Amino acid sequence: MITLNYIFKNIDDFEEKLAEQRISLQEECLVQIFTANLTEEDAVLLAQEIYSRMPAAKIIGASASGVINNGEQYDKDTLIIVEKFEKSEVVTGSFSWECPTEELVRDVLSEIEDKHPKVVRVLFGDYCNRVHPFVEAFNEIGGAIVLAGGLAGETSIENGGCFVFTPEGVVRNGLVTAAVCGENVKVYNSVNNSQEPLSPVYTITKCEGNVIREIEGIPAYEWLEKNLGLSSKKIYKDWKDTASNDPLARFPIVVEGHNGATRYMRYDETLDEIALYFCGLPSGTRFRIGYTSPIRCVEGCHSICDDIARVPIEALFCYSCRFRKIYLGNCAKWELSPFLDANICGAFMLCEIGMLNGRSELLNGSCVFNGVAENEAYIMPNMDVFENLYNIENDNKEL
């Protein structure tokens, strides 16, 4: 396969880069667009312009809270990823949440079930709270198919929101998918969640949608006031302010039975309740309080490097969390530094989907690595970078 990761400048320059990579405009390709700086209208116009020059291309896109290319982090740019497969088939689709969740998952799988699907990349828009049940239903119905992606991030444009799109337009209250199918496809997937559990196990005894009403039989705010020392019901102005000052954002919940997957809580002023960001959990969910640890992040990165050299990968992508960028600074520059020679790219999402221990999980605050290959091509991470990474100062004292 042939790949091109391109920070968009203009359409003519993009076309030149395709020619340099020997990707014909007439060939079928998968094109993914992640934009941190375009409006909905301009994003769709870009997809249409690309389609006008690449009429055989399958194109999906999403807003992002920043993009990553060659280990560099871009907060106000658009990343275009082109993948030309030699032996595999790509099937894209757009879907609405109008039908029940299990029916929606079956719709996503219906067009690919006889084509040996290996990975389904899925991007959700509109701050959807049904992502968790979608992932759970996919685990039941999709079997061993890898699910990778997440909830679209917010752009740098004020009040830009999050959205997904195709050349036909923005997909309202829905999702877009790209499945890579074929017996020759090899898929790599791993997760660095960097969360350190701190507490004993507790139970959410009453949760309705994304609103947590009771923990251990006690009203959620009262329980958090007692256990985390919350002293005010305060709303924070933006993500950076939230990450710096809101203790609920500093201490996520680590969900038991989900391979270390985490969720972030917030105070909802409108409801005067504790709620989860962009997802729900069923009543009876057991969890522990955790925190984001830079040291745990480096350890997770080292473990991924050990694994990644054993799996064929021709294109490596990461779905990282917006909170991760705020907590860990330019995490792309140091967390992804072992993979600079691998042409790694990625996007910052509001929540991520990755596979852990053979099971798809909805994640917050994580970095999901997803690689594909048709041939026996291997990435050799640069392990020398860990001489410096292990000197990163931990923030235990501050916490």
Side-chain angles (χ1 to χ4, degrees), residues 18 27 30-31 38 76 88 108 110 133 143 146 149 151 173 200 205 208 225 255 259 291 329 341 386:
L18 288 171
E27 292 180 299
L30 172 59
V31 178
L38 297 180
K76 297 181 179 181
S88 311
V108 170
S110 63
V146 173
L151 179 63
N173 192 32
T205 45
E208 297 175 359
E225 186 177 31
V255 185
N259 301 293
Y291 80 101
D341 293 336
F386 287 97

Side-chain angles (χ1 to χ4, degrees), residues 34-37 62-67 75 152-156 163 347-349:
F34 291 92
T35 181
N37 66 327
S63 58
S65 300
V67 295
D75 294 328
E154 294 173 333
T155 66
S156 59
F163 58 92
F348 289 99
M349 317 295 284

Side-chain angles (χ1 to χ4, degrees), residues 34-37 62-68 73-77 127 151-157 161-162 239 278 320-323 325-326 346-351:
F34 291 92
T35 181
N37 66 327
S63 58
S65 300
V67 295
I68 299 164
Q73 193 166 290
Y74 300 84
D75 294 328
K76 297 181 179 181
D77 284 280
Y127 302 107
L151 179 63
E154 294 173 333
T155 66
S156 59
I157 300 169
C162 61
W239 289 112
F278 319 125
S320 193
C321 183
R322 179 163 193 164
F323 270 145
K325 180 171 69 168
I326 297 171
F348 289 99
M349 317 295 284
L350 292 182
C351 62

